[in-house]
Amino acid sequence: REITFLGIHDSVGNVFPPTELADELADLPVHVEVVDTDGISKCDAIVTRDHYDSFLELEWVHSIQAGVDRFPFDEFEANDVILTNSTGIHDRTVGETVAGYLLAFSRRLHTAIAAQQDRRWDRPAWDEAFTLPGKTACVLGTGTLGSGVADTLGSLGVHVTGVRRSGDPVPGFEEVFATEDRHTAVADADFVIITLPLTDDTNHLADAEFFDAMRDDAYFVNVGRGSIVDEPALVDALESNSIEGAGLDVFETEPLPEESPLWEMDEVIITPHCAAFTVDYFRDVGGLVRENVDRLAAEEPFVNRVV
Ligand code: NAD
């Protein structure tokens, strides 16, 4: 494959200014330029957030997200287009966001911030606040995000268990369950955390039965993808107090519609799909793109290749 024109599609502007990445990669031995959708035809390869059908004419597409569920794998394969993703860079960012949700719930920071909006001096009831050491978190998905969450929560004294397809042990997780045993895995956890990719197997994996299996004082966290959760079942579980609360970064429909009952719930923290945001995001993506441009020149296989 020959790549002489690497486009930075302007849809990356959803996460960082496209020019920052173009400048970061300016010394590559290929032409790097920010392009809009009309400019796709000029490119051999492109770095993007969104998918466009015109990508099927290119040699290589790099997604700035780890989740590539928006890309049609079959069509990439049929058209011999390489697809790479950005897994491997979100461990610490998402780990700290999840730690932030847990610290907010345990130290009641979300209720303090809500009260502050109304200049209200409302203190939590004597038995509302708690500390994290000795609590347990069950993390579904033990990849980059899951390991980053385990590492960050582990340093706060939380006992971390994991769920993966095989159930085989993973460093950083005290115990690991197979996906088919997920209801057993979540049954004792104070926090249940989804870090999975969206696939046919994980679609609506967190359903009514899943929330029933959780303790009624447990918190649910989703930083994977919205459709891994049956959102009406989550709303029911929260409304009926069959779980305590939730920290949510991803939703079945994004932006989360104004009429969603989740907005109004006291024990729900909503972040707008920004769990992985960092001022260094373009540098981290740039590192992956640079690595693959080098590998192409050396005729070595790409890292993070999905198709
Ligand atoms: P990863 O590939 O490193 O890890 C995913 C893990 O999930 C892998 O270990 C894989 O084996 C496992 N898995 C897949 N299907 C499974 C199943 N049915 N049961 C159990 N385990 C299963 O990817 P990552 O970088 O950790 O990202 C994971 C997902 O998180 C992405 O696909 C993306 O959708 C989401 N994500 C969200 C944000 C955000 O901003 N909220 C940021 C990065 C990634």
Side-chain angles (χ1 to χ4, degrees), residues 46-107:
I46 202 156
V47 180
T48 186
R49 191 194 86 119
D50 296 342
H51 172 68
Y52 290 87
D53 285 339
S54 43
F55 289 171
L56 298 174
E57 306 289 321
L58 308 184
E59 295 288 335
W60 167 36
V61 174
H62 179 81
S63 158
I64 65 158
Q65 296 187 307
V68 278
D69 43 276
R70 69 175 88 230
F71 295 90
F73 294 178
D74 291 352
E75 290 175 39
F76 271 66
E77 183 136 22
N79 288 277
D80 194 25
V81 184
I82 292 178
L83 176 64
T84 52
N85 74 1
S86 292
T87 192
I89 63 173
H90 309 112
D91 45 354
R92 191 68 205 177
T93 48
V94 175
E96 289 194 12
T97 300
V98 172
Y101 295 145
L102 268 55
L103 287 165
F105 290 131
S106 63
R107 306 312 307 149

Side-chain angles (χ1 to χ4, degrees), residues 66-69 87-88 90 94 141-146 163-165 179 195-199 201-202 205 223-225 249-250 273-276:
V68 278
D69 43 276
T87 192
H90 309 112
V94 175
T142 57
T144 301
L145 256 58
V163 173
R164 67 188 300 213
R165 279 169 292 194
T179 308
T195 65
L196 292 163
L198 176 62
T199 65
D201 289 341
T202 64
L205 175 135
V223 287
R225 276 290 177 274
D249 190 54
V250 287
H273 200 151
C274 59

Side-chain angles (χ1 to χ4, degrees), residues 292-305:
N292 277 337
V293 170
D294 289 350
R295 281 167 172 256
L296 191 69
E299 295 184 12
E300 287 168 9
F302 275 18
V303 291
N304 283 10
R305 185 164 174 178

